[in-house]
Amino acid sequence: MATLAANQTRLLATVLCTVAFAYLVWKISQSPEQALQFTFNGLSVGAVYALLAIGFTLVYSTVWFFDLYYGAAAALGAYGVFYLRSQQAVGGQYEVNSLAVNIIFGALVAGVVAWALHEGVGPRLRERCSPRLLRWLGGALAAATGVYTGIILAYPDELHLLLAPVVGLATAAAVVWLIYRVAVRVRRRIDPGADLRGMAIAGIGPGAVLGGYCGMALAGAPGSQLYLSWAVSCLLAATLGLALYRGLYVYMRERARTPLVMLVATLGVLLALTAFTTIVFHSAPRPLPDAFGSDPWTIGGANVKGFNVFTIGVAIAGFVGLLLLLKRTAFGKAVRAIGDDEEVAKVVGINTTAVIAVVFFIAALYAALGGVLSGHDTAIQPRMGLLLLLKGWIASVVGGIGNLWGAIVGGFVLGLIEQFGIWDLAGEWRDAISFVLLVLFLSFWPKGLLPRR
């Protein structure tokens, strides 16, 4: 009986796919230009869904519960850009700049920096320095970072000047690190006795020159403020994601007997942050300033925006970067070990709390970036995070929950199906098509296109 039901289900799924494919081929033959337009629109929208699905999959495959803050992170990323650049969006005056908001996020960053110093640097220095001295130095550095964050938020007109030193120092550090890594490889292959300290010191000169050049170039480029606001808003949303895990989810996971408790808790976080966003910005839709590539090109009869091409590239680059991080680094091995068995990972010495906190940071960063890119295409509103969360989840289901490859495939497939599905319908049907697709996949292909192995 069960075999007969399974065969009937497979037959029904085959018939539905055949009919849909035949209809699509017929429509494409009728209007190839329109098909090209829908293809491009589907890929650009699917790129946003893919970013959301990638971060969603990363969290779920590590801790095995659905973090609904993820939707709020997408909205915070978009509203962070509006907060810093509303002068450009509304024409001449900053619509919102709240001292309370600046203080809250400054304190948030200070707390996260203090925790990061305690977990990352503290264990290595405690044997060499006084614990009291370390606490004072760590507290001072964390407080300075929090004050610096508050100043950045309070003076968005000077964003390029305020961030120039940070960009310069980061560039210099990256150059020194890169030269050091090259020296390590040279020593392993050519001269095991080479002095690495000399190589690292030799990298300080080029690093200082390049870092100084980048900092000065940024300080003289006020047109970069919009794109710097992308980085600031995404980092703040990601920092909040890390803080929520370390300050709330850790303790709830220890006491929660079922994943349902965590689901309800994160739903409360999502609703609270949505309400907070509504209080600060009100419920009316808001525009973001025009980004580069807003003027369309005509290719094969389709209108193509450079910014949408950039969005597709960001999704692909984000996927490749995260894949390399998980496959080629010690951090990635730790993440995979925690996903397989968290208790065993603890036994072998992995600091699971710190690793999972970083996972939440990265995932929220992807969500916020997706919200920013989406916000430049459509007006933003406080409840946009819930819809983007659902689309990211649907894309994960379509691609295969827990599979990073499935996340990016599912995002693009969902975007394409949405666009082609409204060929003969109004645009308002797009969301309905997404949820019908979700029901079909849960019914016929619950493991998705690329099941997790």
Side-chain angles (χ1 to χ4, degrees):
M1 197 69 180
T3 304
L4 178 60
N7 290 335
Q8 291 175 342
T9 299
R10 283 195 293 268
L11 177 61
L12 179 58
T14 302
V15 170
L16 289 174
C17 290
T18 303
V19 171
F21 182 74
Y23 173 77
L24 181 61
V25 171
W26 176 69
K27 293 297 293 184
I28 292 174
S29 66
Q30 294 294 311
S31 178
E33 295 83 5
Q34 187 69 24
L36 181 61
Q37 184 68 65
F38 279 138
T39 299
F40 175 72
N41 292 346
L43 290 175
S44 60
V45 173
V48 174
Y49 298 161
L51 283 172
L52 294 161
I54 288 169
F56 189 88
T57 297
L58 176 63
V59 169
Y60 180 75
S61 61
T62 305
V63 295
W64 301 105
F65 74 81
F66 296 116
D67 178 23
L68 301 187
Y69 162 71
Y70 199 64
L76 287 175
Y79 271 99
V81 175
F82 181 80
Y83 187 85
L84 293 169
R85 302 265 52 88
S86 62
Q87 182 186 42
Q88 295 177 356
V90 301
Q93 184 176 1
Y94 282 101
E95 188 168 322
V96 178
N97 198 288
S98 168
L99 177 62
V101 171
N102 299 341
I103 292 174
I104 289 171
F105 276 101
L108 172 71
V109 170
V112 169
V113 169
W115 172 81
L117 292 173
H118 180 268
E119 290 290 329
V121 182
R124 301 178 183 180
L125 298 180
R126 286 184 191 124
E127 297 179 356
R128 303 178 182 178
C129 302
S130 165
R132 184 176 180 181
L133 177 62
L134 289 177
R135 284 195 298 270
W136 276 101
L137 291 176
L141 181 58
T145 307
V147 171
Y148 179 65
T149 301
I151 292 173
I152 289 174
L153 296 176
Y155 297 98
D157 269 338
E158 311 299 331
L159 202 60
H160 60 298
L161 297 176
L162 291 171
L163 289 177
V166 174
V167 172
L169 288 173
T171 303
V175 171
V176 172
W177 178 83
L178 182 61
I179 292 175
Y180 178 79
R181 295 305 303 173
V182 171
V184 170
R185 290 182 177 273
V186 169
R187 187 183 71 168
R188 288 176 180 174
R189 296 185 180 184
I190 300 177
D191 185 7
D195 185 8
L196 292 181
R197 290 177 298 179
M199 293 294 294
I201 293 173
I204 293 177
V209 171
L210 186 58
Y213 174 78
C214 291
M216 292 177 63
L218 182 61
S224 64
Q225 291 177 350
L226 174 61
Y227 311 109
L228 291 173
S229 69
W230 290 6
V232 172
S233 61
C234 289
L235 288 173
L236 289 178
T239 301
L240 180 56
L242 187 155
L244 283 171
Y245 176 77
R246 186 60 189 89
L248 178 63
Y249 297 166
V250 166
Y251 305 105
M252 295 196 68
R253 289 185 71 207
E254 292 175 353
R255 293 163 177 78
R257 297 184 178 181
T258 66
L260 181 61
V261 174
M262 297 304 303
L263 181 67
V264 174
T266 58
L267 176 61
V269 170
L270 170 62
L271 296 177
L273 289 173
T274 301
F276 174 76
T277 304
T278 305
I279 291 170
V280 175
F281 297 99
H282 307 295
S283 58
R286 308 289 187 184
L288 291 184
D290 290 335
F292 67 92
S294 298
D295 297 328
W297 314 321
T298 301
I299 300 177
N303 292 324
V304 178
K305 289 184 179 180
F307 182 79
N308 296 131
V309 175
F310 170 75
T311 301
I312 297 170
V314 168
I316 296 173
F319 166 74
V320 173
L322 186 58
L323 190 67
L324 292 175
L325 179 68
L326 295 178
K327 297 293 185 181
R328 300 290 182 88
T329 65
F331 171 79
K333 293 178 182 178
V335 171
R336 298 202 306 274
I338 293 171
D340 291 337
D341 194 318
E342 187 174 345
E343 294 303 320
V344 172
K346 291 179 181 178
V347 170
V348 299
I350 296 175
N351 187 343
T352 57
T353 301
V355 172
I356 295 174
V358 176
V359 165
F360 273 78
F361 179 90
I362 295 172
L365 189 69
Y366 275 73
L369 182 57
V372 169
L373 296 174
S374 175
H376 278 287
D377 245 2
T378 58
I380 62 175
Q381 53 186 340
R383 298 187 182 277
M384 65 179 287
L386 177 59
L387 184 59
L388 288 174
L389 169 70
L390 293 174
K391 293 299 180 70
W393 183 61
I394 294 172
S396 298
V397 171
V398 171
I401 293 182
N403 187 344
L404 200 61
W405 285 92
I408 190 166
V409 170
F412 285 120
V413 168
L414 176 60
L416 289 169
I417 290 177
E418 275 190 357
Q419 293 299 316
F420 280 98
I422 62 170
W423 194 314
D424 291 324
L425 300 172
E428 290 77 7
W429 282 86
R430 185 164 47 243
D431 295 337
I433 290 171
S434 298
F435 293 115
V436 169
L437 183 67
L438 172 64
V439 172
L440 290 175
F441 265 84
L442 291 177
S443 301
F444 301 123
W445 306 281
K447 293 184 178 180
L449 297 174
L450 299 174
R452 176 185 171 93
R453 296 178 180 177

